[in-house]
Amino acid sequence: MEVLLVGAVACTTALILSAWLMTFARWFPIQGIDGAFLVDYKTMIRAHVDFALMGLFNLGFFGAAKAAGVELEYFACVCMAIGGFTNPTVFVIAAFDTEFWSKIKWKVFSAVSFVITTVGFMTICYQMIRHALNS
């Protein structure tokens, strides 16, 4: 289950890094970087918010499971940690690549990321509801 904490730390680190990137992009526009490097500021904000949410989900699932005495399946936790990081990464890549949404490799990356995250979320939710109903 501790892999959820690793996922939360990874998401929090990305959250802070994206905050600094966006701050510098606005405060210190550098010719050739701002507008050419970070092309879609709004999509980067989506990534930033998504990193925060996924980090909180990782922490929330870990804390709820610990408090309830539920040992979550390792595979589900790994899926949650990996998917929780790769989902916001989709927005990061899109913020730097104007053609992101039309490239097949990024569509595949997005789909795989969403499937992994869904497996993690649903397995953990299933385990938690099963525990609640059996108590």
Side-chain angles (χ1 to χ4, degrees), residues 5-84:
L5 296 177
V6 174
V9 169
C11 287
T12 302
T13 302
L15 174 75
I16 296 301
L17 290 173
S18 67
W20 278 104
L21 174 66
M22 290 185 295
T23 299
F24 276 101
R26 288 293 182 200
W27 285 357
F28 307 108
I30 299 170
Q31 189 69 21
I33 292 179
D34 191 39
F37 182 61
L38 178 57
V39 294
D40 189 348
Y41 194 80
K42 289 180 182 179
T43 301
M44 186 56 110
I45 291 171
R46 288 183 188 108
H48 181 76
V49 170
D50 208 16
F51 277 124
L53 291 172
M54 291 301 189
L56 289 172
F57 274 121
N58 278 293
L59 289 175
F61 285 141
F62 179 82
K66 282 287 191 184
V70 176
E71 185 62 34
L72 298 174
E73 292 179 20
Y74 180 74
F75 179 74
C77 294
V78 168
C79 286
M80 186 61 226
I82 291 171

Side-chain angles (χ1 to χ4, degrees), residues 51-117:
F51 277 124
L53 291 172
M54 291 301 189
L56 289 172
F57 274 121
N58 278 293
L59 289 175
F61 285 141
F62 179 82
K66 282 287 191 184
V70 176
E71 185 62 34
L72 298 174
E73 292 179 20
Y74 180 74
F75 179 74
C77 294
V78 168
C79 286
M80 186 61 226
I82 291 171
F85 188 81
T86 58
N87 275 353
T89 301
V90 167
F91 293 116
V92 172
I93 297 166
F96 292 103
D97 183 358
T98 55
E99 302 298 318
F100 174 85
W101 302 108
S102 63
K103 293 180 180 176
I104 192 71
K105 68 181 177 181
W106 297 128
K107 288 179 182 182
V108 171
F109 177 81
S110 299
V112 169
S113 173
F114 296 153
V115 167
I116 290 170
T117 308

